[in-house]
Amino acid sequence: MSEASDRGFPGLGDRLHQVQSGIADACRDAGRSSDEIDLIVVTKFHPVELVAALADLGVRDVGENRHQEAQAKVEQLGELDLRWHFVGQLQTKKARQAARYAHAIHSIDRERLVDAIADMEREIEVFIQVNLTEDPARGGAAPAELERLAEHVLRAPALHLRGVMAVAPLEEPAPAAFERLAGYSERVRAVAPGATAISAGMTHDYREAIAAGATHLRIGSAITGKRPEPR
């Protein structure tokens, strides 16, 4: 990758290529095609200039964790052909604002959040976030709530249920966590047959996620480099 294509972020193109190659290798090992995978580059705390450089390198799917930061970046980069994915916890009172710019929201975990964006004027792709731990303070719906929540999403005119999302707990091996998530995906598909997507896998565990059937990867520092301190 040329330094010009990195737009002042040395190594950015090389890191992107390395991750893309890693995804291709993991797909081959899993007997899958890399065409099945959507790579979302998470740019939390990084400047808009880095997002623009990623766009120059062909990235179209960008993930953000915080609404205020995401909204500002969308406003500054509105001329770019980007799909914005909201991948962090979302407050109900901020949901409609996020839904105005988000191509997809990966963190639907309660009915009130669904209700807040159910009647938006455009279609929004959503993922039900599942809590893979027994700690209710962590983000995501409890597994026992999945079918009810999926049915609630299906009744929302503006929402297109794509599938499930989760973050693998650090305290257990990623393959075991993602195997459970695959089982939860099957349960949601029993309610919503079209909800076949699985949003899982980050910098440290995307290979395991691909092996378990992930379709959407949320990768940050392996591509963007060290995350700046929050401002």
Side-chain angles (χ1 to χ4, degrees), residues 143-220:
E145 301 171 358
L146 286 180
E147 286 85 356
R148 178 171 55 83
L149 187 54
E151 290 171 351
H152 199 70
V153 174
L154 291 177
R155 291 192 291 269
L159 305 188
H160 175 201
L161 180 57
R162 291 298 312 278
V164 295
M165 177 274 229
V167 177
L170 294 176
E171 58 268 22
E172 74 169 300
F178 290 141
E179 183 178 357
R180 291 205 311 283
L181 181 61
Y184 298 145
S185 174
E186 290 182 6
R187 285 172 47 185
V188 169
R189 292 201 307 272
V191 175
T196 58
I198 298 177
S199 173
M202 299 162 66
T203 288
H204 59 285
D205 59 15
Y206 72 83
R207 292 173 177 84
E208 293 87 345
I210 288 172
T215 60
H216 292 64
L217 308 177
R218 311 180 308 274
I219 298 180

Side-chain angles (χ1 to χ4, degrees), residues 22 25 37 55 94 129 135 158 185-186:
D25 290 342
I37 306 297
K94 300 290 186 182
Q129 182 176 357
D135 181 358
S185 174
E186 290 182 6

